[in-house]
Amino acid sequence: MRALCWMGAGELAVRQLPDPELRNAHDAIVRVRRSAACAADLALLAGRGPAVGEVLGHEFVGEVVEVGPEVRRHRAGDRVVVCSSVSCGSCWYCRRELHSCCDNGSTDPAAGEAAWGHPVAGCFGQPRSQGGFAGSHAEYVRVPYADVGAFAVPEPVSDDRALFASDAAPAGWMGADLGGVRPGDVVAVWGAGAVGQVAARAARLLGAERVVVVDRHPDRLRAAERHAGAETLDYRRVDVAAELRERSGGRGPDVCVDAVGTPAATRSLGDRLTGAAPRPVAVREAVHACRKGGSVVVLGAHPGVVDTFPLGAVTAKGLTIRGARQHGPRYIPMLLDRMARDELRTEYLATHHLPLDRAPEAYT
Ligand SMILES: [Zn+2]
Ligand SMILES: [Zn+2]
């Protein structure tokens, strides 16, 4: 089969690889119909971790072509969306719907223990050395624990819409859910990428009175207004904290969601020279802006250690801080249902379509 492979820092190539095969009784092989590019790929592209030849891509929808003898919920021919993270469905964490904390989803639990103190779920398209599985920018993917991570797509939901149930939609929805958004709340979302867009839409659907999205890309801000029903702030042009207070009765938002993360680019030259950790700029702003007693939900990708985190504000203001990588299987059936009812439209997040042979262009 053909697949998009990491060949070195900043270097991608479409290569011919052996087709994946069933390895375990609960595996399925899926022929990929759509696979999305994600900001998380960019860190890998820059050269953090992959081995030469590893396949990128973790958000995908496809058709089941083969199943192992213990797969009960799927058979060849089913159209499925596959959760980007890999979890077993039966460990202590999965039984409590904390799928991203799965004990058995990683190919390298020791790496998780070293980095976080515990192993966490694996993910497609991540380096094997970081607990990942071969990715979805390929013609075929082996899906472990297929009954847990693959979900039949309802007939009326298009591939382009279902694709986002793989990663961005459950992650974004989880932001509103973990934040405990209630009717009448004011919610602020930092980051108008796919996760932030869905977090904003979810907050609206859960009854938030006002949702304010903070970003600097005009096209993304326009999309958040149009598709998520959000108000927007361009942080280059306004004082974000003052604007948010103004729009929340002088208190600050009830729930603040970080859908930005800590990009490596936030490290200044001085930080690099002194070895200081990167700064979580969006989370810091969220902690400062959030009303007293409010919630801050951290969804973005962050390095193990960050610098200048305003910990004092967490206690002084009585904040609740929550975070997770997405617990996909907890949310995906509900999201597909909302997609089928047209409540959640995500196809606008797919701004460009390319055939696999031109996949490297998606990252230039
Ligand atoms: Zn992703
Ligand atoms: Zn598990």
Side-chain angles (χ1 to χ4, degrees):
M1 68 166 184
R2 288 166 304 138
L4 181 71
C5 300
W6 186 88
M7 302 305 292
E11 231 184 287
L12 295 171
V14 177
R15 298 178 73 203
Q16 199 69 35
L17 298 179
D19 288 353
E21 293 177 351
L22 297 175
R23 272 191 224 161
N24 296 304
H26 47 65
D27 287 354
I29 303 296
V30 169
R31 186 176 63 79
V32 177
R33 292 163 64 100
R34 295 279 191 283
S35 180
C38 172
D41 301 336
L42 298 177
L44 298 179
L45 190 57
R48 285 196 232 145
V52 169
E54 284 187 317
V55 182
L56 297 183
H58 56 269
E59 312 181 8
F60 61 109
V61 66
E63 183 189 323
V64 175
V65 291
E66 198 181 355
V67 295
E70 282 179 27
V71 174
R72 301 278 175 263
R73 291 174 44 204
H74 303 292
R75 52 185 172 180
D78 287 358
R79 188 166 64 113
V80 292
V81 60
V82 179
C83 179
S84 62
S85 71
V86 176
S87 56
C88 76
S90 55
C91 72
W92 192 94
Y93 293 97
C94 286
R95 289 200 310 274
R96 285 156 182 80
E97 293 195 305
L98 299 168
H99 293 88
S100 78
C101 305
C102 176
D103 271 337
N104 303 317
S106 172
T107 52
D108 189 355
E113 292 230 30
W116 321 113
H118 290 80
V120 296
C123 184
F124 294 98
Q126 298 290 311
R128 282 189 63 79
S129 63
Q130 291 169 28
F133 293 80
S136 57
H137 292 344
E139 289 178 277
Y140 297 94
V141 184
R142 179 177 75 92
V143 176
Y145 307 115
D147 278 345
V148 181
F151 297 85
V153 178
E155 217 283 311
V157 179
S158 69
D159 286 348
D160 276 5
R161 184 176 291 189
L163 173 60
F164 295 96
S166 183
D167 192 37
W173 194 281
M174 189 182 69
D177 183 35
L178 295 188
V181 171
R182 282 188 291 221
D185 276 355
V186 176
V187 177
V189 178
W190 276 257
V195 173
Q197 299 271 343
V198 178
R201 177 74 183 136
R204 291 295 279 173
L205 288 169
L206 291 172
E209 189 176 308
R210 300 185 87 161
V211 178
V212 186
V213 173
V214 182
D215 201 297
R216 68 184 161 90
H217 296 288
D219 51 335
R220 293 181 180 188
L221 291 173
R222 270 196 302 277
E225 289 168 7
R226 192 160 155 228
H227 299 285
E231 304 166 38
T232 57
L233 295 176
D234 180 340
Y235 65 77
R236 296 170 310 173
R237 296 174 194 279
V238 298
D239 177 340
V240 170
E243 278 292 331
L244 289 175
R245 263 199 308 278
E246 173 78 27
R247 296 173 195 218
S248 55
R251 289 187 299 275
D254 303 287
V255 178
C256 293
V257 177
D258 153 53
V260 175
T262 302
T266 58
R267 286 181 92 192
S268 67
L269 182 61
D271 289 345
R272 284 164 211 258
L273 290 173
T274 58
R279 294 167 191 195
V281 177
V283 177
R284 197 164 57 179
E285 199 166 77
V287 166
H288 278 298
C290 193
R291 76 155 163 82
K292 291 178 279 185
S295 294
V296 176
V297 183
V298 182
L299 300 178
H302 296 274
V305 175
V306 295
D307 194 26
T308 63
F309 180 78
L311 189 57
V314 176
T315 40
K317 294 184 8 175
L319 299 178
T320 300
I321 306 259
R322 299 192 70 177
R325 294 177 178 176
Q326 53 118 342
H327 303 306
R330 187 202 293 188
Y331 298 103
I332 291 171
M334 173 272 292
L335 292 167
L336 288 170
D337 194 45
R338 288 182 189 268
M339 287 174 172
R341 283 188 277 122
D342 236 17
E343 270 181 30
L344 187 63
R345 300 175 194 167
T346 45
E347 56 275 21
Y348 76 94
L349 299 168
T351 52
H352 300 74
H353 288 81
L354 291 171
L356 179 58
D357 286 329
R358 290 178 55 199
E361 294 171 37
Y363 294 94
T364 52

